[in-house]
Amino acid sequence: MFGLETVTALIAKQGLAILVPIAVIEGPIVTVIAAWLASQGLLDLWSVTLVVVLADLLGDMGLYALGRWGVNRLPPKWRLKMGLNRARLTALASHFDSRGARTLVIGKLTHSAGAAVLVAAGLARMPLLRFLVVNLLATVPKSLFFVALGYAFGSAYSQIDNWIARVSLILLGGIVLAGIVYLLRRRMRP
């Protein structure tokens, strides 16, 4: 995408009109930058908050739609190569029936696993209304955190971007490690 300085200049010059598409693609650091610009009096803080929440939800809906309606358009041979056979899709649907809300919240809060979880929710055909409600409940505190961070410390957005990347990688590593431990324990059961 663009460098952070370019994003900052675009948002400062174009305002909320450019914030929407950029925030859909790259939410957390863009939220920090926009909130910092609001602290400088260049944007309205409440408008920034509303826009970043709605942009986050819009991006999430796109990933959900990809899983729900996009993957089915792939040739069956490709879906099988991706491991999306009937048994796995049934197991995925069962998981999202019983633990979908928790999975969505974890995916949203870890940021690094978010896209995969959102596509999986669509693949599992999680009911759209339930998806939207749970996703909204996870999005609001996450967005408010980044708005507050940006408002208070946004001038250090380059350092914040580095921290977001590091924390995301650490959380992704934790998720992968937990998955490996889970699979190993499952295989060791008699």
Side-chain angles (χ1 to χ4, degrees):
M1 201 172 138
F2 304 111
L4 294 180
E5 291 77 22
T6 304
V7 169
T8 304
L10 280 171
I11 296 171
K13 185 174 180 182
Q14 302 297 323
L16 297 177
I18 196 75
L19 178 60
V20 173
I22 296 174
V24 166
I25 297 167
E26 184 52 51
I29 193 59
V30 170
T31 301
V32 168
I33 292 169
W36 174 64
L37 292 171
S39 77
Q40 303 300 302
L42 297 172
L43 298 172
D44 176 64
L45 182 62
W46 296 110
S47 298
V48 165
T49 303
L50 180 63
V51 164
V52 297
V53 168
L54 292 176
D56 195 337
L57 291 173
L58 183 62
D60 294 350
M61 276 299 305
L63 292 169
Y64 174 88
L66 176 66
R68 179 116 187 203
W69 297 289
V71 174
N72 289 332
R73 296 189 184 274
L74 292 173
K77 190 175 184 179
W78 289 13
R79 288 193 308 253
L80 288 175
K81 283 187 179 198
M82 293 169 57
L84 299 175
N85 59 37
R86 186 176 299 271
R88 281 206 176 135
L89 291 175
T90 301
L92 186 63
S94 175
H95 172 83
F96 272 89
D97 279 343
S98 61
R99 294 181 295 272
R102 179 177 33 179
T103 302
L104 272 178
V105 170
I106 290 169
K108 289 289 293 178
L109 297 180
T110 59
H111 184 62
S112 54
V117 168
L118 295 166
V119 171
L123 273 169
R125 299 194 170 287
M126 183 177 194
L128 184 58
L129 183 60
R130 183 171 174 231
F131 172 82
L132 288 172
V133 169
V134 170
N135 209 25
L136 176 65
L137 292 174
T139 294
V140 169
K142 178 182 175 184
S143 295
L144 289 176
F145 170 77
F146 285 113
V147 166
L149 184 65
Y151 196 84
F153 306 107
S155 61
Y157 60 80
S158 290
Q159 290 171 311
I160 293 170
D161 187 42
N162 288 335
W163 278 102
I164 292 170
R166 287 179 184 158
V167 169
S168 293
L169 283 173
I170 289 168
L171 290 172
L172 180 61
I175 290 169
V176 169
L177 184 61
I180 291 169
V181 169
Y182 171 77
L183 290 174
L184 288 174
R185 283 186 176 176
R186 202 168 138 192
R187 283 191 175 180
M188 294 179 138
R189 288 184 192 157

Short mmCIF file of all heavy atoms in Angstrom, two decimals, residues 111-165:
data_model
loop_
_atom_site.label_atom_id
_atom_site.label_comp_id
_atom_site.label_asym_id
_atom_site.label_seq_id
_atom_site.Cartn_x
_atom_site.Cartn_y
_atom_site.Cartn_z
N HIS A 111 -6.05 -9.93 15.46
CA HIS A 111 -5.75 -9.19 14.24
C HIS A 111 -5.07 -10.07 13.19
O HIS A 111 -5.45 -10.05 12.04
CB HIS A 111 -4.93 -7.94 14.53
CG HIS A 111 -4.67 -7.09 13.32
ND1 HIS A 111 -5.69 -6.50 12.62
CD2 HIS A 111 -3.53 -6.73 12.70
CE1 HIS A 111 -5.18 -5.82 11.60
NE2 HIS A 111 -3.88 -5.94 11.63
N SER A 112 -4.08 -10.85 13.57
CA SER A 112 -3.35 -11.64 12.60
C SER A 112 -4.16 -12.83 12.08
O SER A 112 -3.97 -13.25 10.95
CB SER A 112 -2.03 -12.13 13.20
OG SER A 112 -2.26 -12.79 14.41
N ALA A 113 -5.05 -13.36 12.89
CA ALA A 113 -5.87 -14.48 12.46
C ALA A 113 -7.25 -14.03 11.96
O ALA A 113 -8.05 -14.83 11.53
CB ALA A 113 -6.05 -15.47 13.61
N GLY A 114 -7.49 -12.74 12.01
CA GLY A 114 -8.80 -12.20 11.71
C GLY A 114 -9.34 -12.56 10.34
O GLY A 114 -10.48 -13.02 10.21
N ALA A 115 -8.56 -12.37 9.29
CA ALA A 115 -9.05 -12.63 7.94
C ALA A 115 -9.45 -14.09 7.76
O ALA A 115 -10.52 -14.39 7.21
CB ALA A 115 -7.99 -12.24 6.91
N ALA A 116 -8.62 -15.01 8.23
CA ALA A 116 -8.93 -16.43 8.09
C ALA A 116 -10.20 -16.79 8.86
O ALA A 116 -11.04 -17.55 8.37
CB ALA A 116 -7.76 -17.27 8.59
N VAL A 117 -10.37 -16.24 10.04
CA VAL A 117 -11.56 -16.53 10.86
C VAL A 117 -12.81 -15.98 10.19
O VAL A 117 -13.86 -16.64 10.17
CB VAL A 117 -11.39 -15.96 12.29
CG1 VAL A 117 -12.70 -16.00 13.06
CG2 VAL A 117 -10.32 -16.73 13.03
N LEU A 118 -12.73 -14.78 9.62
CA LEU A 118 -13.89 -14.17 8.97
C LEU A 118 -14.30 -14.96 7.73
O LEU A 118 -15.49 -15.17 7.49
CB LEU A 118 -13.59 -12.71 8.63
CG LEU A 118 -13.36 -11.81 9.85
CD1 LEU A 118 -12.74 -10.50 9.43
CD2 LEU A 118 -14.64 -11.60 10.62
N VAL A 119 -13.33 -15.40 6.94
CA VAL A 119 -13.64 -16.23 5.77
C VAL A 119 -14.23 -17.56 6.23
O VAL A 119 -15.20 -18.06 5.65
CB VAL A 119 -12.39 -16.44 4.89
CG1 VAL A 119 -12.64 -17.47 3.81
CG2 VAL A 119 -11.94 -15.12 4.27
N ALA A 120 -13.66 -18.13 7.30
CA ALA A 120 -14.17 -19.40 7.82
C ALA A 120 -15.61 -19.26 8.31
O ALA A 120 -16.42 -20.18 8.12
CB ALA A 120 -13.27 -19.91 8.96
N ALA A 121 -15.95 -18.13 8.92
CA ALA A 121 -17.33 -17.91 9.36
C ALA A 121 -18.28 -17.93 8.16
O ALA A 121 -19.38 -18.49 8.24
CB ALA A 121 -17.44 -16.58 10.10
N GLY A 122 -17.85 -17.35 7.05
CA GLY A 122 -18.66 -17.40 5.84
C GLY A 122 -18.76 -18.80 5.28
O GLY A 122 -19.83 -19.25 4.88
N LEU A 123 -17.62 -19.51 5.26
CA LEU A 123 -17.62 -20.90 4.78
C LEU A 123 -18.54 -21.78 5.62
O LEU A 123 -19.21 -22.68 5.10
CB LEU A 123 -16.21 -21.49 4.84
CG LEU A 123 -15.31 -21.26 3.65
CD1 LEU A 123 -13.88 -21.66 3.97
CD2 LEU A 123 -15.81 -22.01 2.44
N ALA A 124 -18.57 -21.51 6.92
CA ALA A 124 -19.40 -22.29 7.84
C ALA A 124 -20.87 -21.89 7.76
O ALA A 124 -21.71 -22.49 8.43
CB ALA A 124 -18.89 -22.13 9.26
N ARG A 125 -21.14 -20.86 6.96
CA ARG A 125 -22.51 -20.34 6.82
C ARG A 125 -23.09 -19.90 8.17
O ARG A 125 -24.25 -20.15 8.49
CB ARG A 125 -23.41 -21.34 6.14
CG ARG A 125 -22.95 -21.68 4.74
CD ARG A 125 -24.01 -22.40 3.95
NE ARG A 125 -23.69 -22.55 2.56
CZ ARG A 125 -23.69 -21.59 1.64
NH1 ARG A 125 -23.96 -20.37 1.98
NH2 ARG A 125 -23.40 -21.84 0.38
N MET A 126 -22.24 -19.25 8.96
CA MET A 126 -22.70 -18.67 10.21
C MET A 126 -23.83 -17.69 9.86
O MET A 126 -23.69 -16.91 8.91
CB MET A 126 -21.55 -17.93 10.90
CG MET A 126 -21.90 -17.36 12.24
SD MET A 126 -20.43 -16.59 12.98
CE MET A 126 -21.00 -16.41 14.64
N PRO A 127 -24.94 -17.73 10.59
CA PRO A 127 -26.04 -16.82 10.27
C PRO A 127 -25.56 -15.36 10.24
O PRO A 127 -24.84 -14.91 11.14
CB PRO A 127 -27.05 -17.05 11.39
CG PRO A 127 -26.76 -18.45 11.86
CD PRO A 127 -25.27 -18.62 11.70
N LEU A 128 -25.96 -14.64 9.21
CA LEU A 128 -25.46 -13.29 8.98
C LEU A 128 -25.75 -12.35 10.15
O LEU A 128 -24.87 -11.60 10.57
CB LEU A 128 -26.05 -12.72 7.69
CG LEU A 128 -25.55 -11.35 7.27
CD1 LEU A 128 -24.03 -11.35 7.09
CD2 LEU A 128 -26.22 -10.92 5.98
N LEU A 129 -26.95 -12.40 10.69
CA LEU A 129 -27.29 -11.51 11.80
C LEU A 129 -26.41 -11.80 13.02
O LEU A 129 -25.90 -10.88 13.65
CB LEU A 129 -28.77 -11.62 12.16
CG LEU A 129 -29.24 -10.68 13.27
CD1 LEU A 129 -29.01 -9.23 12.87
CD2 LEU A 129 -30.71 -10.93 13.58
N ARG A 130 -26.22 -13.06 13.33
CA ARG A 130 -25.36 -13.44 14.46
C ARG A 130 -23.93 -12.98 14.21
O ARG A 130 -23.26 -12.45 15.09
CB ARG A 130 -25.42 -14.94 14.67
CG ARG A 130 -24.61 -15.42 15.85
CD ARG A 130 -24.88 -16.88 16.15
NE ARG A 130 -23.99 -17.35 17.18
CZ ARG A 130 -23.25 -18.44 17.08
NH1 ARG A 130 -23.32 -19.20 16.02
NH2 ARG A 130 -22.46 -18.79 18.05
N PHE A 131 -23.46 -13.18 12.98
CA PHE A 131 -22.12 -12.73 12.61
C PHE A 131 -21.98 -11.22 12.83
O PHE A 131 -21.01 -10.76 13.42
CB PHE A 131 -21.84 -13.07 11.13
CG PHE A 131 -20.58 -12.47 10.61
CD1 PHE A 131 -19.35 -13.09 10.84
CD2 PHE A 131 -20.59 -11.28 9.89
CE1 PHE A 131 -18.17 -12.53 10.36
CE2 PHE A 131 -19.42 -10.72 9.41
CZ PHE A 131 -18.22 -11.35 9.65
N LEU A 132 -22.96 -10.46 12.36
CA LEU A 132 -22.89 -9.00 12.49
C LEU A 132 -22.91 -8.54 13.94
O LEU A 132 -22.15 -7.65 14.33
CB LEU A 132 -24.04 -8.35 11.71
CG LEU A 132 -23.91 -8.39 10.19
CD1 LEU A 132 -25.20 -7.89 9.54
CD2 LEU A 132 -22.72 -7.58 9.73
N VAL A 133 -23.77 -9.14 14.75
CA VAL A 133 -23.87 -8.74 16.15
C VAL A 133 -22.57 -9.04 16.89
O VAL A 133 -22.02 -8.18 17.58
CB VAL A 133 -25.08 -9.41 16.84
CG1 VAL A 133 -25.05 -9.23 18.34
CG2 VAL A 133 -26.38 -8.87 16.27
N VAL A 134 -22.08 -10.27 16.77
CA VAL A 134 -20.84 -10.66 17.46
C VAL A 134 -19.68 -9.82 16.96
O VAL A 134 -18.86 -9.33 17.75
CB VAL A 134 -20.55 -12.16 17.28
CG1 VAL A 134 -19.16 -12.53 17.78
CG2 VAL A 134 -21.61 -13.00 17.96
N ASN A 135 -19.61 -9.62 15.66
CA ASN A 135 -18.53 -8.85 15.08
C ASN A 135 -18.57 -7.39 15.56
O ASN A 135 -17.53 -6.81 15.87
CB ASN A 135 -18.62 -8.92 13.56
CG ASN A 135 -17.28 -8.79 12.90
OD1 ASN A 135 -16.26 -9.10 13.49
ND2 ASN A 135 -17.28 -8.32 11.68
N LEU A 136 -19.76 -6.82 15.63
CA LEU A 136 -19.90 -5.45 16.14
C LEU A 136 -19.44 -5.37 17.59
O LEU A 136 -18.72 -4.44 17.97
CB LEU A 136 -21.35 -4.97 16.01
CG LEU A 136 -21.64 -3.58 16.58
CD1 LEU A 136 -20.89 -2.51 15.79
CD2 LEU A 136 -23.14 -3.31 16.57
N LEU A 137 -19.84 -6.34 18.40
CA LEU A 137 -19.46 -6.34 19.81
C LEU A 137 -17.95 -6.48 20.00
O LEU A 137 -17.40 -6.00 20.99
CB LEU A 137 -20.20 -7.45 20.56
CG LEU A 137 -21.71 -7.24 20.69
CD1 LEU A 137 -22.37 -8.46 21.32
CD2 LEU A 137 -22.03 -5.99 21.49
N ALA A 138 -17.28 -7.12 19.06
CA ALA A 138 -15.81 -7.23 19.14
C ALA A 138 -15.13 -6.02 18.50
O ALA A 138 -14.05 -5.61 18.94
CB ALA A 138 -15.35 -8.51 18.45
N THR A 139 -15.76 -5.45 17.49
CA THR A 139 -15.16 -4.32 16.77
C THR A 139 -15.14 -3.04 17.59
O THR A 139 -14.16 -2.30 17.58
CB THR A 139 -15.91 -4.08 15.44
OG1 THR A 139 -15.71 -5.22 14.60
CG2 THR A 139 -15.42 -2.84 14.73
N VAL A 140 -16.23 -2.76 18.30
CA VAL A 140 -16.34 -1.49 19.01
C VAL A 140 -15.21 -1.30 20.04
O VAL A 140 -14.50 -0.29 19.98
CB VAL A 140 -17.74 -1.31 19.64
CG1 VAL A 140 -17.78 -0.15 20.60
CG2 VAL A 140 -18.78 -1.13 18.53
N PRO A 141 -14.98 -2.25 20.96
CA PRO A 141 -13.88 -2.01 21.92
C PRO A 141 -12.51 -1.96 21.24
O PRO A 141 -11.64 -1.17 21.65
CB PRO A 141 -13.98 -3.16 22.91
CG PRO A 141 -14.94 -4.13 22.36
CD PRO A 141 -15.72 -3.45 21.28
N LYS A 142 -12.32 -2.78 20.23
CA LYS A 142 -11.03 -2.77 19.52
C LYS A 142 -10.82 -1.42 18.86
O LYS A 142 -9.75 -0.81 18.99
CB LYS A 142 -11.01 -3.89 18.47
CG LYS A 142 -9.75 -3.93 17.64
CD LYS A 142 -9.81 -5.02 16.60
CE LYS A 142 -8.61 -4.99 15.69
NZ LYS A 142 -8.69 -5.97 14.62
N SER A 143 -11.82 -0.91 18.18
CA SER A 143 -11.70 0.39 17.52
C SER A 143 -11.52 1.51 18.54
O SER A 143 -10.70 2.42 18.33
CB SER A 143 -12.93 0.66 16.65
OG SER A 143 -12.99 -0.26 15.58
N LEU A 144 -12.28 1.46 19.64
CA LEU A 144 -12.14 2.49 20.67
C LEU A 144 -10.74 2.49 21.27
O LEU A 144 -10.18 3.55 21.57
CB LEU A 144 -13.19 2.30 21.76
CG LEU A 144 -14.63 2.62 21.37
CD1 LEU A 144 -15.58 2.29 22.51
CD2 LEU A 144 -14.78 4.06 20.92
N PHE A 145 -10.16 1.31 21.44
CA PHE A 145 -8.78 1.23 21.94
C PHE A 145 -7.82 1.95 21.00
O PHE A 145 -6.99 2.76 21.44
CB PHE A 145 -8.36 -0.24 22.11
CG PHE A 145 -6.90 -0.41 22.39
CD1 PHE A 145 -6.38 -0.14 23.65
CD2 PHE A 145 -6.02 -0.79 21.38
CE1 PHE A 145 -5.02 -0.27 23.91
CE2 PHE A 145 -4.66 -0.92 21.62
CZ PHE A 145 -4.16 -0.66 22.90
N PHE A 146 -7.93 1.68 19.70
CA PHE A 146 -7.01 2.31 18.74
C PHE A 146 -7.29 3.80 18.58
O PHE A 146 -6.37 4.58 18.35
CB PHE A 146 -7.03 1.58 17.40
CG PHE A 146 -6.29 0.27 17.45
CD1 PHE A 146 -6.98 -0.93 17.31
CD2 PHE A 146 -4.93 0.23 17.66
CE1 PHE A 146 -6.30 -2.14 17.37
CE2 PHE A 146 -4.24 -0.97 17.72
CZ PHE A 146 -4.93 -2.16 17.59
N VAL A 147 -8.56 4.22 18.72
CA VAL A 147 -8.87 5.65 18.69
C VAL A 147 -8.22 6.34 19.89
O VAL A 147 -7.58 7.39 19.75
CB VAL A 147 -10.40 5.88 18.66
CG1 VAL A 147 -10.75 7.33 18.98
CG2 VAL A 147 -10.98 5.50 17.30
N ALA A 148 -8.38 5.75 21.08
CA ALA A 148 -7.78 6.34 22.28
C ALA A 148 -6.25 6.37 22.17
O ALA A 148 -5.61 7.38 22.53
CB ALA A 148 -8.21 5.56 23.52
N LEU A 149 -5.67 5.30 21.68
CA LEU A 149 -4.22 5.23 21.49
C LEU A 149 -3.76 6.33 20.54
O LEU A 149 -2.78 7.04 20.81
CB LEU A 149 -3.83 3.85 20.97
CG LEU A 149 -2.35 3.55 20.80
CD1 LEU A 149 -1.64 3.55 22.14
CD2 LEU A 149 -2.16 2.20 20.09
N GLY A 150 -4.46 6.47 19.43
CA GLY A 150 -4.09 7.49 18.45
C GLY A 150 -4.28 8.90 18.98
O GLY A 150 -3.46 9.79 18.73
N TYR A 151 -5.37 9.11 19.70
CA TYR A 151 -5.64 10.45 20.23
C TYR A 151 -4.56 10.86 21.23
O TYR A 151 -4.12 12.00 21.23
CB TYR A 151 -7.03 10.47 20.89
CG TYR A 151 -7.55 11.86 21.12
CD1 TYR A 151 -8.20 12.55 20.10
CD2 TYR A 151 -7.38 12.50 22.34
CE1 TYR A 151 -8.69 13.84 20.29
CE2 TYR A 151 -7.86 13.79 22.55
CZ TYR A 151 -8.51 14.45 21.53
OH TYR A 151 -8.97 15.73 21.72
N ALA A 152 -4.14 9.92 22.06
CA ALA A 152 -3.16 10.23 23.10
C ALA A 152 -1.71 10.19 22.59
O ALA A 152 -0.90 11.04 22.96
CB ALA A 152 -3.32 9.26 24.27
N PHE A 153 -1.39 9.21 21.76
CA PHE A 153 0.01 8.99 21.37
C PHE A 153 0.22 8.89 19.86
O PHE A 153 1.23 8.36 19.41
CB PHE A 153 0.53 7.68 22.01
CG PHE A 153 0.35 7.62 23.49
CD1 PHE A 153 -0.61 6.79 24.05
CD2 PHE A 153 1.14 8.39 24.33
CE1 PHE A 153 -0.78 6.73 25.42
CE2 PHE A 153 0.97 8.34 25.70
CZ PHE A 153 0.01 7.51 26.26
N GLY A 154 -0.73 9.37 19.09
CA GLY A 154 -0.71 9.20 17.64
C GLY A 154 0.48 9.80 16.92
O GLY A 154 0.82 9.36 15.81
N SER A 155 1.15 10.77 17.51
CA SER A 155 2.31 11.35 16.84
C SER A 155 3.43 10.31 16.67
O SER A 155 4.30 10.46 15.82
CB SER A 155 2.83 12.57 17.61
OG SER A 155 3.24 12.19 18.91
N ALA A 156 3.37 9.26 17.45
CA ALA A 156 4.35 8.17 17.35
C ALA A 156 3.79 7.02 16.51
O ALA A 156 4.07 5.85 16.77
CB ALA A 156 4.72 7.68 18.74
N TYR A 157 3.02 7.36 15.47
CA TYR A 157 2.33 6.31 14.71
C TYR A 157 3.27 5.31 14.06
O TYR A 157 2.91 4.14 13.90
CB TYR A 157 1.35 6.90 13.69
CG TYR A 157 1.94 7.81 12.64
CD1 TYR A 157 2.57 7.30 11.52
CD2 TYR A 157 1.84 9.19 12.77
CE1 TYR A 157 3.09 8.13 10.56
CE2 TYR A 157 2.35 10.04 11.81
CZ TYR A 157 2.97 9.51 10.70
OH TYR A 157 3.50 10.34 9.75
N SER A 158 4.47 5.68 13.70
CA SER A 158 5.41 4.71 13.12
C SER A 158 5.81 3.65 14.16
O SER A 158 5.84 2.46 13.85
CB SER A 158 6.67 5.41 12.62
OG SER A 158 6.38 6.17 11.49
N GLN A 159 6.09 4.09 15.38
CA GLN A 159 6.42 3.15 16.44
C GLN A 159 5.20 2.28 16.79
O GLN A 159 5.34 1.08 17.04
CB GLN A 159 6.90 3.89 17.68
CG GLN A 159 8.26 4.54 17.48
CD GLN A 159 8.61 5.44 18.65
OE1 GLN A 159 7.81 6.27 19.06
NE2 GLN A 159 9.81 5.25 19.18
N ILE A 160 4.03 2.89 16.82
CA ILE A 160 2.80 2.14 17.12
C ILE A 160 2.57 1.09 16.05
O ILE A 160 2.20 -0.05 16.36
CB ILE A 160 1.59 3.10 17.25
CG1 ILE A 160 1.76 3.99 18.49
CG2 ILE A 160 0.29 2.33 17.30
CD1 ILE A 160 0.77 5.14 18.59
N ASP A 161 2.81 1.43 14.79
CA ASP A 161 2.66 0.46 13.70
C ASP A 161 3.60 -0.72 13.91
O ASP A 161 3.21 -1.88 13.70
CB ASP A 161 2.92 1.14 12.35
CG ASP A 161 2.61 0.23 11.18
OD1 ASP A 161 1.58 -0.46 11.21
OD2 ASP A 161 3.40 0.22 10.21
N ASN A 162 4.84 -0.45 14.33
CA ASN A 162 5.78 -1.53 14.61
C ASN A 162 5.29 -2.42 15.75
O ASN A 162 5.40 -3.64 15.69
CB ASN A 162 7.17 -0.98 14.95
CG ASN A 162 7.86 -0.41 13.74
OD1 ASN A 162 7.59 -0.79 12.61
ND2 ASN A 162 8.76 0.53 13.97
N TRP A 163 4.75 -1.80 16.79
CA TRP A 163 4.23 -2.56 17.92
C TRP A 163 3.02 -3.40 17.51
O TRP A 163 2.89 -4.55 17.94
CB TRP A 163 3.89 -1.65 19.10
CG TRP A 163 5.10 -1.32 19.90
CD1 TRP A 163 5.82 -0.17 19.87
CD2 TRP A 163 5.78 -2.19 20.81
NE1 TRP A 163 6.90 -0.26 20.72
CE2 TRP A 163 6.90 -1.49 21.32
CE3 TRP A 163 5.54 -3.49 21.25
CZ2 TRP A 163 7.77 -2.05 22.23
CZ3 TRP A 163 6.42 -4.03 22.18
CH2 TRP A 163 7.51 -3.32 22.65
N ILE A 164 2.14 -2.84 16.70
CA ILE A 164 0.97 -3.60 16.22
C ILE A 164 1.44 -4.83 15.46
O ILE A 164 0.93 -5.94 15.65
CB ILE A 164 0.04 -2.73 15.34
CG1 ILE A 164 -0.64 -1.65 16.20
CG2 ILE A 164 -1.00 -3.58 14.63
CD1 ILE A 164 -1.39 -0.59 15.38
N ALA A 165 2.44 -4.64 14.59
CA ALA A 165 2.96 -5.77 13.81
C ALA A 165 3.60 -6.82 14.72
O ALA A 165 3.35 -8.03 14.55
CB ALA A 165 3.98 -5.27 12.79
#
